[in-house]
Amino acid sequence: MRLRHIEVFQAIVQTGSISAAARLLNVSQPNVSRVLTHAEQQLGFALFERRAQGMVVTAEGRRLLPEVEDLYRRLHSITQLTEQLRRGEGQTVRVGAAHAFGQMVLAPALVNWRQQAASVSVELVTEHFSTLCQMIMDNQLDFALVFGQQVDADLLAEPLFQSSMVALLPQHHTHNEPATLEWLCANNLLMMQNQDPLGRVLHRALRDKGLDPAVSLSIKTYSVIADMVLAGGGVGVVDLFTACRYADQLKLLPVAQPLPFEVMLISRRDQPLSQSTLQLKQVIRNKLWEIARQCETRFFTL
C-alpha cells in the first residue's frame, strides 16, 4: 500500500463514510473513491464492505488497522518534531567569537535573539582565531565571528562588515586631529602582535613608512591595549568595537592612514547550518552594523 492509500483507509475508518473522509482530507469524494478502488485492486482484496449504514472494515482491513494506527502515530511524531525544528525547540546553537566581539556584539545580539527563540539553547565561546577555526573543524562550534583573514579551504568565510582601525588616547589628551602613524610612534604606540589579523595590517603600514615604534611591548588581546592606554602606558590602535567599549574612558580618534579590517563569519563548508543558526547569524549581522553606526556617529566620522 502507498502512503496515500493508507491515508484514505485511515480517514474512512475514522469517519465511517467516503463523503466524510473526503471532507476530512479536504479533497473531492470521487478522489477518495478512486484512491480506495486503486488500493483494493493492488491488494487483491476489499478493505471495506459497502453497507446502508456506511463503510464497514473487512476482516483483512481489521488486520491492517494496528499497523496503520502505529504508522499514523509515528507520522504524528514526525509532524511534531518538524514543527519543533521549525521553531528551534530543543536545539543548541554553538557560536564562537574573537574576544573583541564577545561583550560588544555577541552579548546584546544574544539578548535580542533569546527574546525571539527562548526555547533554543546557546553555547558561547570566546577564543583566538586559530582556536576557533580548530573548534569548527572538530565540530565543536557551528560558526564563529572573527576578524577577516585567510581560512582553511574546508571553512566557509562570509564577510559581514568592513571598517578601519581607530586610535586610542588618554581621555584628556590635547591632540584632536586624526592620528598619523608618525605621531602614534612618537607617543609610545602599544603594538599588536605581528601574527595577529589586525596586527599584520598595522605592522605592514609601519614598514611601508619605515617606522619603528620605540615601545617593545607586544600585546595579543585588543582590550589589554585599551587597558594599557587607560593606565597611562601610551597610545594604541584597535578595532572599532573594542574602541567603543572604552569610549567613555578614552579619547577615540581616526587614524590618518586607513588601517582596514574586515569582520566575517566562518563555518564548515560541508555542513549546512540549522534554521536556528541562520536566524542567529542574521541577528548578529544586524547588531554588528547597528553598533558600528552608533559608534561612528557618536564619536567621530571615519
Side-chain angles (χ1 to χ4, degrees):
M1 293 180 73
R2 298 178 182 177
L3 186 58
R4 187 59 175 166
H5 296 159
I6 296 172
E7 185 179 30
V8 166
F9 174 64
Q10 172 69 10
I12 296 173
V13 169
Q14 184 177 342
T15 62
S17 71
I18 288 179
S19 58
R23 289 192 296 271
L24 179 65
L25 297 174
N26 197 28
V27 296
S28 67
Q29 184 173 331
N31 183 276
V32 172
S33 296
R34 186 166 50 252
V35 172
L36 176 59
T37 300
H38 185 257
E40 291 177 328
Q41 288 175 345
Q42 282 201 331
L43 292 171
F45 57 80
L47 294 171
F48 296 94
E49 291 181 5
R50 283 74 169 170
R51 297 181 181 176
Q53 66 269 32
M55 305 288 283
V56 178
V57 184
T58 62
E60 293 82 0
R62 285 196 298 272
R63 291 187 61 183
L64 285 173
L65 268 177
E67 296 296 331
V68 170
E69 291 172 350
D70 181 61
L71 174 61
Y72 263 78
R73 280 193 295 271
R74 283 181 284 167
L75 288 174
H76 180 67
S77 297
I78 292 172
T79 301
Q80 286 183 316
L81 178 57
T82 54
E83 181 61 22
Q84 290 171 356
L85 292 173
R86 187 185 66 80
R87 297 194 301 264
E89 294 179 8
Q91 294 187 33
T92 298
V93 176
R94 305 163 303 168
V95 56
H99 294 292
F101 300 123
Q103 291 177 300
M104 197 66 194
V105 178
L106 265 297
L110 288 175
V111 169
N112 288 356
W113 188 62
R114 291 291 291 169
Q115 295 171 353
Q116 306 172 25
S119 60
V120 182
S121 300
V122 181
E123 296 177 2
L124 173 62
V125 174
T126 56
E127 268 294 353
H128 294 294
F129 178 81
S130 58
T131 303
L132 292 172
C133 288
Q134 189 59 52
M135 292 182 73
I136 293 175
M137 294 297 296
D138 293 340
N139 203 31
Q140 297 174 3
L141 292 176
D142 295 312
F143 69 91
L145 186 66
V146 298
F147 289 107
Q149 57 182 301
Q150 188 172 357
V151 299
D152 189 277
D154 291 329
L155 294 176
L156 180 66
E158 179 183 351
L160 295 184
F161 176 82
Q162 291 180 331
S163 188
S164 291
M165 287 181 266
V166 299
L168 297 181
L169 284 64
Q171 191 170 40
H172 301 296
H173 202 289
T174 57
H175 189 86
N176 292 310
E177 300 295 324
T180 64
L181 294 178
E182 292 83 358
W183 185 90
L184 290 168
C185 289
N187 285 270
N188 297 325
L189 175 61
L190 299 164
M191 288 297 295
M192 298 173 168
Q193 293 186 358
N194 190 31
Q195 66 271 27
D196 183 87
L198 303 193
R200 282 196 288 269
V201 177
L202 177 58
H203 280 262
R204 186 185 308 115
L206 293 172
R207 284 197 306 270
D208 290 345
K209 285 185 170 292
L211 298 172
D212 187 16
V215 178
S216 60
L217 188 60
S218 180
I219 303 170
K220 186 174 183 66
T221 304
Y222 305 154
S223 60
V224 175
I225 293 176
D227 288 332
M228 289 287 293
V229 176
L230 192 60
V235 297
V237 172
V238 296
D239 65 280
L240 179 64
F241 302 98
T242 298
C244 286
R245 284 183 56 201
Y246 291 83
D248 295 329
Q249 301 169 280
L250 297 172
K251 176 180 286 189
L252 278 58
L253 291 176
V255 179
Q257 178 177 341
L259 300 173
F261 71 89
E262 185 177 56
V263 181
M264 64 186 189
L265 282 171
I266 56 173
S267 59
R268 283 187 63 137
R269 188 178 294 275
D270 61 345
Q271 291 187 4
L273 297 176
S274 68
Q275 189 64 32
S276 296
T277 305
L278 293 173
Q279 291 169 357
L280 177 56
K281 281 177 60 177
Q282 187 58 48
V283 172
I284 292 172
R285 184 197 308 271
N286 294 341
K287 182 59 65 174
L288 197 65
W289 281 95
E290 176 188 333
I291 294 171
R293 285 193 296 267
Q294 290 173 352
C295 293
E296 293 177 352
T297 301
R298 178 179 175 188
F299 300 112
F300 48 80
T301 302
L302 292 178

